[in-house]
Amino acid sequence: MFTIKSYRRWLRASIVIIYLIIIAGAVVRMTGSGMGCPDWPKCFGYWIPPTEETELEFSPDTHYKKGMVIIINEELRVAREDFFTGNTYQEIDWKPYIKHDYSVFNKFHTWTEYINRLIGALGGLVVLFTAVVSLQFWRSRKKLTILTVVALLAMLIQAVIGKIVVDTLLSPVLITIHMIVALLIVGLLIYLLHEVLPVDSRYYNKGNLSRWMLIIIAMTFIQVAMGTQVRQYIDHQVDLFGYPLSSAWLENGPLIFLIHRSYSILLVLVHIAVSYIAIKKYKHPKRSYFSLNALILITILSGVLMNYVDFPLGSQAAHLVTASLILGLQFYLWMRLRTAARLSVAATS
Ligand code: HEM
């Protein structure tokens, strides 16, 4: 029923949507909208959240469903059961929302977080459909089906982590775990895409370049790990100084930030060296290497902007998104190089 071509298309769509989820997550963080929906999976107890604060005020003679939320005396109250209100507010019908005391309604934050969740749900559906398509290959290529189902399960785990992130009031460590799982899912999908693409002989090499690409990936992982520590530090600074005082966030930056910053020079040098050899010696397609180096430069530029221009709007999001694109592209290139190298060895032996 489904062809390998349509499976490839769905894999590509899954990869694109996961990057969109990463972008949406970055926008949520950049705008401080993480608590725009205090509950999960619903938002203020609704599948489609309110657009006006008045919708969260107590309303007489109204039918409330169990779980619906109102704000009363600057506190959240949750409907105990489905019921009709009388003329006045009755404490007995409501229970306090005890997970946290967040009780502000900000239309912009709520809808930013809500759209983020919608994109997440859409991503889940796209990966679900990809898994359905992969069932077609159960007999011929079991690995494809198993790994696509693993990607789907990882998406579900990601949704659960997303809930815990909200429940823990955006715990910095959990945000990091959330990001790492997203990167693993992208990696898995890119691997599957590579598996169903023909070997690209343009990436011919003697095996040395694929080894170097693996070293580059490991080096970038170290940089990303340091970056997440810097982000956790910034999260604490935001708690301490608040959003408007971004100029104070990196004053007396920690050692890990200084290493993260300087280590980029090493990354740039290794990337330039490997790209030079690939293009000059092996005549590899320039586009992929240029894109990789451009992404490195944009990441560094956004880092410099955060550091010296006090986190201008979009710089945090750009930094995260380009860093995750770098890892995706490196991983893809590594697999292309690896299979082309095997082909080259087979051809000469
Ligand atoms: C290729 C080089 C680089 C890579 C791959 C990289 C990667 C990352 C990553 C993955 C994060 C975590 C983002 C998040 O979890 O939201 C991060 C955070 C950060 N990086 Fe870098 N980075 C690089 C270079 C730089 C440079 C050169 C600077 C400064 C001059 C810098 C400054 C920062 C800052 C300030 C944060 C915290 C961002 C935040 O709070 O949202 N980075 N980096």
Side-chain angles (χ1 to χ4, degrees), residues 9 12 15 29-30 46 55 79 89-90 106 117 155-156 170 190 247 278 308 315 323 346 348:
R9 255 200 307 268
R12 284 205 175 98
I15 294 168
R29 192 182 124 69
M30 176 184 93
Y46 296 87
E55 292 174 54
Y89 170 79
Q90 299 293 330
N106 176 315
R117 288 183 188 185
M155 289 292 281
L156 293 177
L170 316 180
I190 292 178
S247 56
Y308 298 104
S315 53
T348 49

PDB file of all heavy atoms in Angstrom, residues 9 12 15 29-30 46 55 79 89-90 106 117 155-156 170 190 247 278 308 315 323 346 348:
ATOM      1  N   ARG A   9       9.065  10.429   2.493  1.00  0.00           N
ATOM      2  CA  ARG A   9       8.383  11.741   2.590  1.00  0.00           C
ATOM      3  C   ARG A   9       7.918  11.988   4.019  1.00  0.00           C
ATOM      4  O   ARG A   9       8.081  13.062   4.565  1.00  0.00           O
ATOM      5  CB  ARG A   9       7.187  11.773   1.641  1.00  0.00           C
ATOM      6  CG  ARG A   9       7.453  12.614   0.412  1.00  0.00           C
ATOM      7  CD  ARG A   9       6.171  13.047  -0.254  1.00  0.00           C
ATOM      8  NE  ARG A   9       5.273  11.943  -0.560  1.00  0.00           N
ATOM      9  CZ  ARG A   9       5.268  11.287  -1.720  1.00  0.00           C
ATOM     10  NH1 ARG A   9       6.098  11.617  -2.672  1.00  0.00           N
ATOM     11  NH2 ARG A   9       4.420  10.300  -1.926  1.00  0.00           N
ATOM     12  N   ARG A  12      10.810  12.796   6.263  1.00  0.00           N
ATOM     13  CA  ARG A  12      11.254  14.186   6.072  1.00  0.00           C
ATOM     14  C   ARG A  12      10.306  15.130   6.811  1.00  0.00           C
ATOM     15  O   ARG A  12      10.731  16.054   7.508  1.00  0.00           O
ATOM     16  CB  ARG A  12      11.276  14.540   4.585  1.00  0.00           C
ATOM     17  CG  ARG A  12      12.452  13.952   3.864  1.00  0.00           C
ATOM     18  CD  ARG A  12      12.789  14.781   2.612  1.00  0.00           C
ATOM     19  NE  ARG A  12      13.999  14.245   1.997  1.00  0.00           N
ATOM     20  CZ  ARG A  12      14.015  13.401   0.970  1.00  0.00           C
ATOM     21  NH1 ARG A  12      12.879  12.997   0.428  1.00  0.00           N
ATOM     22  NH2 ARG A  12      15.153  12.964   0.480  1.00  0.00           N
ATOM     23  N   ILE A  15      10.960  15.074  10.494  1.00  0.00           N
ATOM     24  CA  ILE A  15      12.168  15.821  10.885  1.00  0.00           C
ATOM     25  C   ILE A  15      11.852  17.323  10.899  1.00  0.00           C
ATOM     26  O   ILE A  15      12.190  18.036  11.848  1.00  0.00           O
ATOM     27  CB  ILE A  15      13.345  15.500   9.923  1.00  0.00           C
ATOM     28  CG1 ILE A  15      13.745  14.035  10.088  1.00  0.00           C
ATOM     29  CG2 ILE A  15      14.532  16.412  10.195  1.00  0.00           C
ATOM     30  CD1 ILE A  15      14.674  13.499   9.019  1.00  0.00           C
ATOM     31  N   ARG A  29      10.353  29.966  25.443  1.00  0.00           N
ATOM     32  CA  ARG A  29      11.349  30.332  26.449  1.00  0.00           C
ATOM     33  C   ARG A  29      11.762  31.796  26.313  1.00  0.00           C
ATOM     34  O   ARG A  29      11.826  32.541  27.282  1.00  0.00           O
ATOM     35  CB  ARG A  29      12.561  29.441  26.261  1.00  0.00           C
ATOM     36  CG  ARG A  29      13.531  29.516  27.386  1.00  0.00           C
ATOM     37  CD  ARG A  29      14.713  28.632  27.094  1.00  0.00           C
ATOM     38  NE  ARG A  29      15.930  29.414  27.166  1.00  0.00           N
ATOM     39  CZ  ARG A  29      16.423  29.913  28.276  1.00  0.00           C
ATOM     40  NH1 ARG A  29      15.812  29.729  29.411  1.00  0.00           N
ATOM     41  NH2 ARG A  29      17.536  30.617  28.264  1.00  0.00           N
ATOM     42  N   MET A  30      11.969  32.205  25.051  1.00  0.00           N
ATOM     43  CA  MET A  30      12.424  33.570  24.778  1.00  0.00           C
ATOM     44  C   MET A  30      11.416  34.609  25.266  1.00  0.00           C
ATOM     45  O   MET A  30      11.784  35.679  25.734  1.00  0.00           O
ATOM     46  CB  MET A  30      12.598  33.665  23.264  1.00  0.00           C
ATOM     47  CG  MET A  30      12.975  34.975  22.699  1.00  0.00           C
ATOM     48  SD  MET A  30      12.979  34.759  20.906  1.00  0.00           S
ATOM     49  CE  MET A  30      11.326  35.257  20.504  1.00  0.00           C
ATOM     50  N   TYR A  46      -9.199  24.109  29.833  1.00  0.00           N
ATOM     51  CA  TYR A  46      -9.892  24.113  28.538  1.00  0.00           C
ATOM     52  C   TYR A  46      -8.998  23.492  27.461  1.00  0.00           C
ATOM     53  O   TYR A  46      -7.776  23.650  27.500  1.00  0.00           O
ATOM     54  CB  TYR A  46     -10.208  25.545  28.093  1.00  0.00           C
ATOM     55  CG  TYR A  46     -11.165  26.267  29.005  1.00  0.00           C
ATOM     56  CD1 TYR A  46     -10.694  26.957  30.123  1.00  0.00           C
ATOM     57  CD2 TYR A  46     -12.536  26.270  28.752  1.00  0.00           C
ATOM     58  CE1 TYR A  46     -11.571  27.621  30.972  1.00  0.00           C
ATOM     59  CE2 TYR A  46     -13.412  26.935  29.586  1.00  0.00           C
ATOM     60  CZ  TYR A  46     -12.929  27.601  30.698  1.00  0.00           C
ATOM     61  OH  TYR A  46     -13.790  28.253  31.520  1.00  0.00           O
ATOM     62  N   GLU A  55     -13.042  35.633  30.985  1.00  0.00           N
ATOM     63  CA  GLU A  55     -13.533  34.256  30.831  1.00  0.00           C
ATOM     64  C   GLU A  55     -13.078  33.377  31.996  1.00  0.00           C
ATOM     65  O   GLU A  55     -13.602  32.288  32.192  1.00  0.00           O
ATOM     66  CB  GLU A  55     -13.025  33.654  29.515  1.00  0.00           C
ATOM     67  CG  GLU A  55     -13.630  34.307  28.292  1.00  0.00           C
ATOM     68  CD  GLU A  55     -12.998  33.788  27.014  1.00  0.00           C
ATOM     69  OE1 GLU A  55     -12.970  32.565  26.814  1.00  0.00           O
ATOM     70  OE2 GLU A  55     -12.512  34.615  26.215  1.00  0.00           O
ATOM     71  N   ALA A  79     -12.804  23.396  39.228  1.00  0.00           N
ATOM     72  CA  ALA A  79     -14.130  22.813  39.476  1.00  0.00           C
ATOM     73  C   ALA A  79     -13.978  21.356  39.912  1.00  0.00           C
ATOM     74  O   ALA A  79     -13.277  20.577  39.261  1.00  0.00           O
ATOM     75  CB  ALA A  79     -14.963  22.906  38.209  1.00  0.00           C
ATOM     76  N   TYR A  89     -20.472  32.767  44.343  1.00  0.00           N
ATOM     77  CA  TYR A  89     -19.361  31.805  44.378  1.00  0.00           C
ATOM     78  C   TYR A  89     -19.438  30.957  45.649  1.00  0.00           C
ATOM     79  O   TYR A  89     -19.572  31.501  46.746  1.00  0.00           O
ATOM     80  CB  TYR A  89     -18.043  32.586  44.333  1.00  0.00           C
ATOM     81  CG  TYR A  89     -16.827  31.740  44.606  1.00  0.00           C
ATOM     82  CD1 TYR A  89     -16.292  30.936  43.610  1.00  0.00           C
ATOM     83  CD2 TYR A  89     -16.219  31.741  45.861  1.00  0.00           C
ATOM     84  CE1 TYR A  89     -15.176  30.148  43.863  1.00  0.00           C
ATOM     85  CE2 TYR A  89     -15.104  30.957  46.119  1.00  0.00           C
ATOM     86  CZ  TYR A  89     -14.589  30.162  45.120  1.00  0.00           C
ATOM     87  OH  TYR A  89     -13.485  29.377  45.367  1.00  0.00           O
ATOM     88  N   GLN A  90     -19.406  29.634  45.506  1.00  0.00           N
ATOM     89  CA  GLN A  90     -19.434  28.747  46.671  1.00  0.00           C
ATOM     90  C   GLN A  90     -18.113  27.984  46.747  1.00  0.00           C
ATOM     91  O   GLN A  90     -17.806  27.186  45.857  1.00  0.00           O
ATOM     92  CB  GLN A  90     -20.585  27.725  46.542  1.00  0.00           C
ATOM     93  CG  GLN A  90     -21.973  28.316  46.454  1.00  0.00           C
ATOM     94  CD  GLN A  90     -22.388  28.993  47.763  1.00  0.00           C
ATOM     95  OE1 GLN A  90     -21.957  28.594  48.848  1.00  0.00           O
ATOM     96  NE2 GLN A  90     -23.194  30.046  47.666  1.00  0.00           N
ATOM     97  N   ASN A 106      -2.213  35.936  31.071  1.00  0.00           N
ATOM     98  CA  ASN A 106      -1.634  36.841  30.088  1.00  0.00           C
ATOM     99  C   ASN A 106      -1.916  36.209  28.730  1.00  0.00           C
ATOM    100  O   ASN A 106      -1.386  35.141  28.412  1.00  0.00           O
ATOM    101  CB  ASN A 106      -0.123  36.965  30.357  1.00  0.00           C
ATOM    102  CG  ASN A 106       0.567  37.809  29.312  1.00  0.00           C
ATOM    103  OD1 ASN A 106       0.340  37.665  28.113  1.00  0.00           O
ATOM    104  ND2 ASN A 106       1.448  38.683  29.771  1.00  0.00           N
ATOM    105  N   ARG A 117       2.060  23.853  22.126  1.00  0.00           N
ATOM    106  CA  ARG A 117       1.503  22.511  22.388  1.00  0.00           C
ATOM    107  C   ARG A 117       0.816  21.947  21.140  1.00  0.00           C
ATOM    108  O   ARG A 117       0.882  20.752  20.880  1.00  0.00           O
ATOM    109  CB  ARG A 117       0.494  22.577  23.535  1.00  0.00           C
ATOM    110  CG  ARG A 117       1.187  22.799  24.855  1.00  0.00           C
ATOM    111  CD  ARG A 117       0.187  22.782  25.976  1.00  0.00           C
ATOM    112  NE  ARG A 117       0.806  23.171  27.222  1.00  0.00           N
ATOM    113  CZ  ARG A 117       0.188  23.149  28.386  1.00  0.00           C
ATOM    114  NH1 ARG A 117      -1.073  22.758  28.456  1.00  0.00           N
ATOM    115  NH2 ARG A 117       0.808  23.506  29.484  1.00  0.00           N
ATOM    116  N   MET A 155       8.408  10.242  21.383  1.00  0.00           N
ATOM    117  CA  MET A 155       7.555  11.447  21.309  1.00  0.00           C
ATOM    118  C   MET A 155       6.584  11.452  22.491  1.00  0.00           C
ATOM    119  O   MET A 155       6.310  12.504  23.086  1.00  0.00           O
ATOM    120  CB  MET A 155       6.742  11.465  20.005  1.00  0.00           C
ATOM    121  CG  MET A 155       7.528  11.731  18.765  1.00  0.00           C
ATOM    122  SD  MET A 155       8.187  13.393  18.674  1.00  0.00           S
ATOM    123  CE  MET A 155       6.758  14.332  18.145  1.00  0.00           C
ATOM    124  N   LEU A 156       6.050  10.253  22.818  1.00  0.00           N
ATOM    125  CA  LEU A 156       5.112  10.182  23.951  1.00  0.00           C
ATOM    126  C   LEU A 156       5.845  10.525  25.254  1.00  0.00           C
ATOM    127  O   LEU A 156       5.337  11.274  26.093  1.00  0.00           O
ATOM    128  CB  LEU A 156       4.492   8.780  24.044  1.00  0.00           C
ATOM    129  CG  LEU A 156       3.572   8.408  22.879  1.00  0.00           C
ATOM    130  CD1 LEU A 156       3.073   6.979  23.017  1.00  0.00           C
ATOM    131  CD2 LEU A 156       2.393   9.365  22.807  1.00  0.00           C
ATOM    132  N   LEU A 170       8.924  24.694  35.414  1.00  0.00           N
ATOM    133  CA  LEU A 170      10.016  24.872  34.467  1.00  0.00           C
ATOM    134  C   LEU A 170      11.392  24.594  35.085  1.00  0.00           C
ATOM    135  O   LEU A 170      12.295  25.418  34.990  1.00  0.00           O
ATOM    136  CB  LEU A 170       9.996  26.294  33.863  1.00  0.00           C
ATOM    137  CG  LEU A 170       8.645  26.852  33.438  1.00  0.00           C
ATOM    138  CD1 LEU A 170       8.827  28.248  32.877  1.00  0.00           C
ATOM    139  CD2 LEU A 170       7.970  25.979  32.398  1.00  0.00           C
ATOM    140  N   ILE A 190      16.709  11.038  11.418  1.00  0.00           N
ATOM    141  CA  ILE A 190      17.703  11.279  10.353  1.00  0.00           C
ATOM    142  C   ILE A 190      18.373   9.953   9.989  1.00  0.00           C
ATOM    143  O   ILE A 190      18.615   9.656   8.820  1.00  0.00           O
ATOM    144  CB  ILE A 190      18.747  12.323  10.804  1.00  0.00           C
ATOM    145  CG1 ILE A 190      18.077  13.701  10.950  1.00  0.00           C
ATOM    146  CG2 ILE A 190      19.900  12.424   9.793  1.00  0.00           C
ATOM    147  CD1 ILE A 190      18.990  14.800  11.430  1.00  0.00           C
ATOM    148  N   SER A 247      20.919  42.737  31.129  1.00  0.00           N
ATOM    149  CA  SER A 247      22.330  43.163  31.126  1.00  0.00           C
ATOM    150  C   SER A 247      23.086  42.572  32.324  1.00  0.00           C
ATOM    151  O   SER A 247      24.306  42.456  32.296  1.00  0.00           O
ATOM    152  CB  SER A 247      22.429  44.681  31.147  1.00  0.00           C
ATOM    153  OG  SER A 247      21.715  45.166  32.268  1.00  0.00           O
ATOM    154  N   ALA A 278      37.480  17.984   2.606  1.00  0.00           N
ATOM    155  CA  ALA A 278      36.377  17.321   1.891  1.00  0.00           C
ATOM    156  C   ALA A 278      36.167  17.952   0.514  1.00  0.00           C
ATOM    157  O   ALA A 278      35.996  17.241  -0.486  1.00  0.00           O
ATOM    158  CB  ALA A 278      35.101  17.408   2.716  1.00  0.00           C
ATOM    159  N   TYR A 308      27.301  40.306  24.363  1.00  0.00           N
ATOM    160  CA  TYR A 308      27.712  41.723  24.327  1.00  0.00           C
ATOM    161  C   TYR A 308      26.570  42.704  24.102  1.00  0.00           C
ATOM    162  O   TYR A 308      26.734  43.893  24.297  1.00  0.00           O
ATOM    163  CB  TYR A 308      28.790  41.929  23.251  1.00  0.00           C
ATOM    164  CG  TYR A 308      30.041  41.132  23.556  1.00  0.00           C
ATOM    165  CD1 TYR A 308      30.327  39.960  22.868  1.00  0.00           C
ATOM    166  CD2 TYR A 308      30.917  41.541  24.562  1.00  0.00           C
ATOM    167  CE1 TYR A 308      31.462  39.208  23.160  1.00  0.00           C
ATOM    168  CE2 TYR A 308      32.058  40.803  24.865  1.00  0.00           C
ATOM    169  CZ  TYR A 308      32.315  39.637  24.161  1.00  0.00           C
ATOM    170  OH  TYR A 308      33.435  38.896  24.461  1.00  0.00           O
ATOM    171  N   SER A 315      17.750  36.171  19.999  1.00  0.00           N
ATOM    172  CA  SER A 315      19.113  35.614  20.003  1.00  0.00           C
ATOM    173  C   SER A 315      19.161  34.259  20.714  1.00  0.00           C
ATOM    174  O   SER A 315      19.842  33.328  20.254  1.00  0.00           O
ATOM    175  CB  SER A 315      20.109  36.585  20.633  1.00  0.00           C
ATOM    176  OG  SER A 315      19.667  36.979  21.914  1.00  0.00           O
ATOM    177  N   ALA A 323      22.052  25.536  16.884  1.00  0.00           N
ATOM    178  CA  ALA A 323      22.884  24.485  17.490  1.00  0.00           C
ATOM    179  C   ALA A 323      22.265  23.109  17.210  1.00  0.00           C
ATOM    180  O   ALA A 323      22.978  22.149  16.887  1.00  0.00           O
ATOM    181  CB  ALA A 323      23.029  24.715  18.992  1.00  0.00           C
ATOM    182  N   ALA A 346      34.880  -1.267  -0.698  1.00  0.00           N
ATOM    183  CA  ALA A 346      34.400  -2.454  -1.423  1.00  0.00           C
ATOM    184  C   ALA A 346      34.832  -2.388  -2.887  1.00  0.00           C
ATOM    185  O   ALA A 346      35.201  -3.398  -3.488  1.00  0.00           O
ATOM    186  CB  ALA A 346      32.884  -2.537  -1.315  1.00  0.00           C
ATOM    187  N   THR A 348      37.479  -0.956  -4.149  1.00  0.00           N
ATOM    188  CA  THR A 348      38.917  -1.138  -4.388  1.00  0.00           C
ATOM    189  C   THR A 348      39.405  -2.533  -4.018  1.00  0.00           C
ATOM    190  O   THR A 348      40.485  -2.936  -4.386  1.00  0.00           O
ATOM    191  CB  THR A 348      39.738  -0.101  -3.578  1.00  0.00           C
ATOM    192  OG1 THR A 348      39.267  -0.108  -2.234  1.00  0.00           O
ATOM    193  CG2 THR A 348      39.625   1.292  -4.173  1.00  0.00           C
TER     194      THR A 348
END
